[in-house]
Amino acid sequence: MYRFPSNINNNEMIKKKRLTSGQLASLERSFQEEIKLDSDRKVKLSRELGLQPRQIAVWFQNRRARWKAKQLEQLYDSLRQEYNVISREKQMLHEEVKKLRAILRDQGLIKKQISGETTRVSGGEDTAEIPSVVPHPRTENLNSNQIYGIDQYNNPMLVASSCWPPYQ
């Protein structure tokens, strides 16, 4: 890599020096000890490694940027894995609800749906009205009295407000 120094004619080019493997190893060890660089440490490292203090400061700044990007990538990966597990769990629960509804229909327990709010269930001679609602997942973490109707269960706005990704 080449650069144009201000004190030399533009036709003359000076090659930028790369760090040696020993210098890099020393800088890495120092970074592992402490990611922030104070002025005393910068001066000490520059003397030990034969580099300018500004070079040391720039190296630390660049290394912190790479370290932070790697931390964010690891955090994203762990959150993505957690999301995938929860998404699969939600899908399985959704399939289980479908199967249970089919069983109820097959057994003739569900007679009539009235405006999406109540369901008539026959239990022998008596017929009772029960609300056709499904408790929202993780309501113990939100509001324990919060119950959603079937039509609202997969509402993306409700899902988003409960910190769950929308069902797709």
Side-chain angles (χ1 to χ4, degrees), residues 1 11 27 31 38-39 44 49 69 73 77 96 120 124 130 146 159 161:
M1 181 166 279
N11 294 332
L27 288 169
F31 183 82
D38 60 53
S39 58
K44 181 181 173 220
L49 301 175
E73 185 178 317
D77 289 343
E96 187 176 346
R120 296 197 182 275
I130 60 168
Q146 193 172 16
V159 172
S161 69

Side-chain angles (χ1 to χ4, degrees), residues 2-20:
Y2 294 94
R3 64 185 173 134
F4 294 102
S6 59
N7 60 351
I8 295 183
N9 185 342
N10 283 343
N11 294 332
E12 300 176 29
M13 295 170 77
I14 296 178
K15 188 170 182 173
K16 185 177 177 181
K17 293 182 182 178
R18 299 275 179 197
L19 299 176
T20 66

Side-chain angles (χ1 to χ4, degrees), residues 17-73:
K17 293 182 182 178
R18 299 275 179 197
L19 299 176
T20 66
S21 59
Q23 290 171 328
L24 282 174
S26 181
L27 288 169
E28 281 292 337
R29 277 192 306 276
S30 183
F31 183 82
Q32 296 304 322
E33 291 172 14
E34 178 66 38
I35 64 173
K36 294 287 185 175
L37 182 66
D38 60 53
S39 58
D40 294 337
R41 212 165 113 216
K42 178 172 50 174
V43 170
K44 181 181 173 220
L45 281 171
S46 72
R47 279 193 212 123
E48 287 175 7
L49 301 175
L51 299 170
Q52 295 294 317
R54 181 71 187 139
Q55 283 179 287
I56 303 290
V58 168
W59 185 90
F60 264 80
Q61 183 178 5
N62 291 338
R63 182 64 177 87
R64 270 194 309 276
R66 288 191 308 271
W67 175 80
K68 186 176 181 180
K70 187 169 184 113
Q71 296 292 96
L72 287 173
E73 185 178 317

